[in-house]
Amino acid sequence: MADTLAGLRARAAMGAYRRAHASVNLAALERNCARMRRELRDGAALCAVVKADGYGHGALPSARAALAGGASWLAVADAREALELREGGLTEVPILVMGPLEEGELEQALGAGADVVIWREDQLGAVIQAGGGRVHVKLDTGMGRLGTRERGQAADVLAAARSASGVVLAGLMTHFATADERDDEGFFEQQLQEFTSWAAPLKREHPQLILHAANSAAVLRAPEAHFDMVRCGISIYGMDPFGVDAIERELEPVLELSSYVAEVKACGPRQSAGYGRTFRASEDTAIALLPIGYGDGWRRALSNNGEVLIAGARYPMAGTVSMDSITVEVGAAGLEAGLRGERAQLIGADGSERISAEDVARRIGTINYEVTCGLTRRVPRTYHRDGTAVAEPPPG
Ligand SMILES: *Cc1c(COP(=O)(O)O)cnc(C)c1O
């Protein structure tokens, strides 16, 4: 029975790849890391940020490709994400857990041999309690989230960390709020200046400290922000940190999202497609049905507000996005062309046409990050290197 089920599952998965499927090019991810590394000032290390399941691309395969592309650190948001990397066989690489950690989580993170971020003495106490570990002290220079705004508090934590047994003071960090906004009234430079004036003298005193501040946008914007390490997420996945066009920034999109045309049917005047009849034909046209919907992460805000590529041509979404399907107006010509069975590209290129995560984000007033992070568990991810399939061990 188990055999039969496994066999069925394998075949079902192959079928499911057609309905809503994300294809991830690990060679492109690798090259994006190499490209970001070339940008770095001498000696600065690349930390690949693989939180949120590698921005929806799959944390483990993304992490492996990033390391192959020259990253020497990994960063995640929580302890479970760090454990997943360790369990996946990445036992040696340094991992930074960037988020706040409650007791149990802190033990998990330190137990996994990950570095953690602190800014209060009670957090240091918890690290000591948990048996010690490597800590990075975070100054809040203007993001207004994690870290302390008080240099006095940071100094107290630093002093206490230095004299605590079992605690290694590994790094000093901050995070920029507006690195991706050119029109930020000098806020980025102000944060950079504040971090530099705090961290640089400490670095002179303690040369082993790793100073890190830059996300992808900051790397491209200001070499002075590179310090000893940079934390890049969005760029390694081949998306533009500034939300415009990755290819212009010499980054290669890594993920393609596809589906297929399961049905094509004529739609006459006054006939409609989808819930609420929000699309109504005004003349003879045809509607293609693609089995991908908001249950896969193709957002409902794209209703009557998006495009897909079918057989190298661009067609508008027509009607409301459902949980499991969308409808696309392909016109009478589309009906004649016999599009049924054709592959449809929702993110990616087809012939000379291309739809980027940035294009999708712009349509619905969000950012490229949210587009790929929003792809749900129902969407199988498969991996390839420039078109050659690579087998990835299934997660957990
Ligand atoms: C997510 C995150 C990053 C990565 O930012 P990108 O814009 O994706 O490069 C860097 N630092 C911190 C603290 C983060 O939370």
Side-chain angles (χ1 to χ4, degrees):
M1 185 66 183
D3 273 2
T4 327
L5 279 180
L8 282 174
R9 199 169 195 305
R11 272 186 290 153
M14 284 166 69
Y17 288 173
R18 256 169 83 64
R19 80 160 279 280
H21 167 214
S23 162
V24 175
N25 186 355
L26 296 173
L29 199 157
E30 217 175 288
R31 288 191 292 267
N32 290 329
C33 287
R35 180 255 182 274
M36 293 306 281
R37 270 199 79 194
R38 281 195 297 278
E39 195 80 24
L40 298 185
R41 289 219 298 214
D42 276 356
L46 173 63
C47 172
V49 180
V50 296
K51 63 193 179 187
D53 202 26
Y55 291 40
H57 295 62
L60 253 182
S62 299
R64 290 196 198 98
L67 295 169
S72 49
W73 277 71
L74 299 171
V76 291
D78 72 19
R80 279 179 53 195
E81 293 180 324
L83 274 179
E84 187 191 336
L85 297 173
R86 292 292 189 231
E87 284 165 357
L90 300 174
T91 52
E92 302 299 324
V93 59
I95 298 177
L96 175 67
V97 178
M98 301 185 295
L101 296 164
E102 284 293 300
E103 223 168 289
E105 264 202 298
L106 181 65
E107 273 165 34
Q108 274 191 331
L110 295 172
D115 290 24
V116 300
V117 179
I118 63 168
W119 57 92
R120 288 193 318 264
E121 283 194 68
D122 66 289
Q123 294 171 317
L124 178 65
V127 171
I128 297 167
Q129 193 77 36
R134 292 166 50 92
V135 301
H136 298 238
V137 175
K138 184 166 194 175
L139 188 70
D140 178 4
T141 57
M143 177 58 120
R145 302 187 315 192
L146 305 177
T148 176
R149 289 190 195 265
E150 309 299 330
R151 286 197 196 197
Q153 182 180 321
D156 291 345
V157 173
L158 287 168
R162 242 178 251 121
S163 59
S165 75
V167 173
V168 177
L169 187 53
L172 304 176
M173 68 183 287
T174 193
H175 192 38
F176 296 111
T178 60
D180 59 336
E181 290 171 41
R182 298 289 182 182
D183 258 348
D184 66 350
E185 300 165 323
F187 197 73
F188 172 81
E189 281 75 19
Q190 210 173 299
Q191 280 196 271
L192 179 54
Q193 162 57 29
E194 174 155 2
F195 180 69
T196 308
S197 71
W198 171 65
L202 289 163
K203 169 87 181 177
R204 279 195 289 277
E205 251 177 86
H206 307 279
Q208 86 290 350
L209 282 172
I210 303 164
L211 273 44
H212 50 107
N215 56 3
S216 299
V219 168
L220 296 178
R221 175 170 175 166
E224 321 82 75
H226 295 179
F227 298 98
D228 302 311
M229 181 166 89
V230 301
R231 307 183 303 262
C232 290
I234 197 76
S235 56
I236 72 171
Y237 304 103
M239 291 186 280
D240 181 6
F242 301 94
V244 184
D245 182 1
I247 289 170
E248 264 177 32
R249 288 186 217 286
E250 296 167 59
L251 294 166
E252 291 178 59
V254 167
L255 180 142
E256 293 192 318
L257 180 67
S258 61
S259 180
Y260 75 102
V261 177
E263 186 58 280
V264 188
K265 64 174 83 164
C267 186
R270 289 180 308 280
Q271 288 184 319
S272 63
Y275 284 119
R277 308 190 65 211
T278 63
F279 170 81
R280 294 183 200 201
S282 52
E283 54 187 12
D284 278 324
T285 183
I287 293 292
L289 179 125
L290 279 46
I292 183 171
Y294 64 79
D296 303 288
W298 191 253
R299 296 260 303 273
R300 199 165 174 277
L302 290 159
S303 298
N304 294 301
N305 174 31
E307 291 174 332
V308 307
L309 307 177
I310 303 170
R314 196 177 278 270
Y315 296 102
M317 309 245 314
T320 306
V321 173
S322 302
M323 189 185 292
D324 312 313
S325 63
I326 59 173
T327 39
V328 173
E329 185 179 9
V330 294
L335 187 60
E336 266 159 44
L339 294 180
R340 185 148 61 82
E342 286 286 341
R343 180 178 142 100
Q345 220 40 331
L346 289 85
I347 297 173
D350 188 355
S352 59
E353 296 282 356
R354 182 166 73 92
I355 295 174
S356 65
E358 287 79 12
D359 295 332
V360 174
R362 221 171 290 124
R363 285 186 175 277
I364 56 177
T366 184
I367 52 176
N368 42 12
Y369 299 69
E370 201 184 22
V371 172
T372 59
C373 280
L375 297 175
T376 64
R377 222 164 67 91
R378 185 162 74 176
V379 180
R381 275 69 163 174
T382 59
Y383 297 92
H384 67 96
R385 299 184 58 85
D386 297 332
T388 306
V390 292
E392 273 296 329

